[in-house]
Amino acid sequence: MNHPTPEQPADAVARLRATFRSGRTKPVEWRKEQLNRLRELLTSHGAELAAALHADLGKSEKEAFRTEIDFTVREIDHTLERLDGWLRPEPAPVPAHLGADATAWTRYDPLGVVLVIAPWNYPAQLLLTPLLGALAAGNAVVAKPSELAPATSAALAGLLPRYLDTDAVAVVEGGVPETTELLAQRFDHIFYTGNGTVGRIVMRAAAEHLTPVVLELGGKSPVFVDRDADLAVVADRLVRGKFLNAGQTCVAPDYVLADPVTARALEPEFVRAVREVFGAEPRTSAEYGRIVNERHFDRLAALLGSGRTVTGGDSDRAAKYIAPTVLADVDPAAPVMGEEIFGPILPIVTVADLDEAIGFINDRDKPLALYVFTESDTTRRRLADETSSGGLGLGLPLAHLTVSDLPFGGVGESGMGSYHGRYSIETFSHRKAVLSKPLH
Ligand code: NAD
């Protein structure tokens, strides 16, 4: 049965709840079929999705496949290969007072109807990866793409009903009014990716129904560069990580902390690395993206004056282009050090030493990621032990989120809960405790 969009949120939820109650989404065969169908969608319509991502964010086809389409396919394959094992009931030892014939175990029950709300920066990956995790766990799902990536939202709203079981998956497009109406419904789980202000709105709405939430938020992810690090390698990796998707990545390195000598020595390396990755004129590079809209462009353009420009600094509002920019001598009180940058501007802030760097990080909100470049085991251990962040990248930014066996999520202001691989099953299931004692 094919349901034309737009469907009213309340109707979609009622329809999905009836399907869930019928038991249709529970058999593992149904779950695998949905994942295989999603895989087929991605492999058959990759070019169409890549074109939508280009229209929304100027993403190159290569980047669209790498960070959104193939990323999701890999997550599907990882899940399909291991799902039976993850779902296997786990025996628990039984204490002696219950007798030798008693047994106990845990099993994963799907939660019911799940709402997934996605942002615009990786609008396909961040809708589809939670969606596939929720389906793998046996749930029905309402998927709400971001209205700020309209081409991708429209493409997914058109494609998903053609491939997935429309009685168990609904796509509701729209912005604040539609999401507000959705949030008034009772869900069994809400998975939200986006900013903390809306995260609070989501959590408040969820509290009305005692609905559990995962909040995948952002924040300023710091980088610590030690004086012993190979700065050419550091600059290469930071430039590739920071300027991917024009810096509009939740785990993008937000700012660099280094001592004054290291900071100064990094500057020419950043100039070289930007030129190597994006050429002398990044504006003409097919690999370099654009800012999502004028509002974000204006916000970012106002941050360009926050320090001494090492590279970049130029922008073009009509093209929503901001050059890959590195700023040095940045005052911790400068505007660029206020909110999460979420764009292609990388400030360098100097600190006297490791102690000051640790203090700097701990004085601020717990970040989604912390990146550390050092040869010293002690420095790595101290940063791991003495700071708190959603993830920790030693020697490489962003990549931890491509490891499906690692939980991806934030802590404190950067969010709560996690997903990917088996952690998606944990998130979208109830782990039911079972005790069994024979009657005779
Ligand atoms: P966005 O503006 O697309 O908003 C995200 C979603 O919230 C959208 O679907 C939108 O419709 C909905 N929304 C907006 N206002 C709402 C309201 N008042 N009530 C209900 N729903 C509403 O995206 P964004 O928030 O600008 O995304 C950027 C932020 O997301 C950054 O902070 C970034 O770090 C973070 N982020 C986190 C992750 C992660 O995995 N942790 C990934 C990507 C982005």
Side-chain angles (χ1 to χ4, degrees):
M1 200 170 27
N2 212 343
H3 294 271
T5 48
E7 187 181 21
Q8 291 306 308
D11 297 341
V13 175
R15 188 163 59 76
L16 266 51
R17 191 163 295 290
T19 305
F20 182 74
R21 288 234 179 101
S22 77
R24 170 140 135 214
T25 65
K26 289 184 178 173
V28 74
E29 294 73 28
W30 180 89
R31 307 181 193 191
K32 287 182 182 169
E33 191 196 329
Q34 298 309 305
L35 264 56
N36 276 312
R37 301 278 294 158
L38 183 58
R39 193 183 198 289
E40 202 184 320
L41 181 164
L42 291 165
T43 48
S44 318
H45 298 277
E48 198 176 325
L49 284 172
L53 291 161
H54 187 266
D56 286 331
L57 290 149
K59 274 188 207 205
S60 71
E61 184 166 84
K62 196 166 116 197
E63 187 175 320
F65 272 92
R66 183 157 71 94
T67 64
E68 306 231 33
I69 300 158
D70 292 346
F71 180 101
T72 311
V73 169
R74 263 210 328 276
E75 180 75 11
I76 291 173
D77 290 344
H78 181 85
T79 304
L80 282 172
E81 272 165 35
R82 294 164 181 79
L83 187 59
D84 290 319
W86 292 340
L87 294 175
R88 213 165 281 141
E90 224 173 89
V94 177
H97 72 267
L98 291 172
D101 59 350
T103 50
W105 65 92
T106 54
R107 48 163 288 148
Y108 288 109
D109 285 352
L111 292 171
V113 183
V114 169
L115 171 63
V116 174
I117 304 176
W120 51 265
N121 63 332
Y122 290 84
Q125 187 218 124
L126 294 174
L127 187 78
L128 300 179
T129 309
L131 168 71
L132 78 91
L135 292 173
N139 298 283
V141 184
V142 176
K144 214 301 282 174
S146 176
E147 72 279 18
L148 297 185
T152 311
S153 177
L156 290 171
L159 288 169
L160 285 167
R162 283 169 53 193
Y163 282 83
L164 299 183
D165 182 341
T166 53
D167 288 326
V169 178
V171 182
V172 175
E173 287 193 87
V176 176
E178 291 79 5
T179 317
T180 305
E181 205 183 324
L182 269 178
L183 286 172
Q185 313 303 314
R186 189 172 75 74
F187 287 95
D188 300 289
H189 191 281
I190 301 177
F191 188 102
Y192 170 79
T193 305
N195 67 76
T197 306
V198 176
R200 283 166 169 80
I201 295 172
V202 169
M203 200 167 172
R204 241 175 257 131
E208 282 302 312
H209 302 287
L210 274 186
T211 298
V213 293
V214 163
L215 300 179
E216 295 281 347
L217 310 178
K220 293 182 87 64
S221 294
V223 179
F224 176 72
V225 181
D226 208 355
R227 63 171 57 200
D228 67 5
D230 179 333
L231 299 185
V233 173
V234 172
D236 281 336
R237 294 185 184 179
L238 283 178
V239 161
R240 286 174 202 280
K242 172 74 184 187
F243 300 118
L244 182 78
N245 199 24
Q248 301 164 112
T249 303
C250 55
V251 284
D254 191 273
Y255 61 92
V256 173
L257 295 174
D259 67 55
V261 175
T262 309
R264 181 57 72 135
L266 264 171
E267 291 180 21
E269 296 296 345
F270 276 131
V271 175
R272 177 195 52 75
V274 168
R275 183 178 276 262
E276 269 174 29
V277 176
F278 299 108
E281 196 41 79
R283 179 193 301 249
T284 61
S285 164
E287 294 310 313
Y288 190 63
R290 294 295 181 264
I291 305 307
V292 66
N293 56 30
E294 279 81 12
R295 182 170 65 81
H296 280 282
F297 175 91
D298 292 341
R299 180 182 64 76
L300 289 162
L303 303 178
L304 288 169
S306 278
R308 177 169 53 81
T309 306
V310 173
T311 181
D314 48 315
S315 62
D316 174 358
R317 192 171 195 270
K320 287 179 281 186
Y321 168 81
I322 294 186
T325 298
V326 177
L327 303 174
D329 304 333
V330 175
D331 188 318
V336 78
M337 290 303 293
E339 305 284 309
E340 173 184 6
I341 297 169
F342 218 54
I345 306 170
L346 183 64
I348 307 174
V349 176
T350 55
V351 285
D353 52 23
L354 178 61
D355 285 326
E356 198 179 313
I358 290 172
F360 193 97
I361 295 163
N362 289 336
D363 280 346
R364 287 161 176 77
D365 291 336
K366 292 178 183 176
L368 187 56
L370 168 65
Y371 301 116
V372 177
F373 293 86
T374 181
E375 295 289 348
S376 158
D377 287 340
T378 312
T379 301
R380 280 193 206 135
R381 199 169 326 113
R382 281 201 58 197
L383 280 156
D385 286 347
E386 296 176 35
T387 68
S388 176
S389 55
L392 173 62
L394 303 171
L396 196 58
L398 272 51
H400 60 292
L401 82 81
T402 66
V403 181
S404 293
D405 283 315
L406 287 176
F408 178 64
V411 58
E413 280 287 325
S414 57
M416 59 183 73
S418 64
Y419 72 130
H420 287 178
R422 72 169 306 150
Y423 300 99
S424 293
I425 304 298
E426 300 273 346
T427 283
F428 293 117
S429 307
H430 167 60
R431 197 191 291 203
K432 187 192 274 175
V434 186
L435 175 84
S436 173
K437 172 105 176 149
L439 294 179
H440 45 77

